[in-house]
Amino acid sequence: MVRVGNKDKKVIELINEKTGDVKRVIRFRNSNAFNDFLNDFKAMRYPNYSWRYLDKVKKKENMN
């Protein structure tokens, strides 16, 4: 079976700015969920945390 495309619309990484560690990868299936995240993230005002788009989703390599 071949999977075509990515069913998740947007993928972001939540980053600790002090250490540069990626704390969490968040996947959104639609733009409404992403917009809700942006509004909630602005309202929380967590210092030292930011987010960025994940450019390419890592694919699992076949072991065959």
Side-chain angles (χ1 to χ4, degrees):
M1 177 175 6
V2 177
R3 295 181 77 185
V4 177
N6 185 5
K7 65 181 176 179
D8 298 323
K9 301 272 185 192
K10 297 190 188 278
V11 180
I12 63 169
E13 294 177 326
L14 189 62
I15 302 166
N16 184 340
E17 290 180 342
K18 286 185 178 179
T19 61
D21 293 337
V22 175
K23 293 296 181 181
R24 178 175 283 180
V25 175
I26 305 171
R27 293 172 176 85
F28 300 98
R29 292 184 183 251
N30 58 38
S31 59
N32 289 337
F34 179 68
N35 290 333
D36 290 343
F37 167 79
L38 288 181
N39 293 333
D40 293 343
F41 190 80
K42 289 177 187 176
M44 288 186 281
R45 296 185 184 120
Y46 283 115
N48 302 323
Y49 283 95
S50 66
W51 61 272
R52 67 178 174 210
Y53 286 106
L54 187 61
D55 293 333
K56 295 181 180 178
V57 179
K58 295 179 183 177
K59 296 181 181 180
K60 294 181 181 178
E61 294 182 16
N62 290 338
M63 299 302 284
N64 297 335

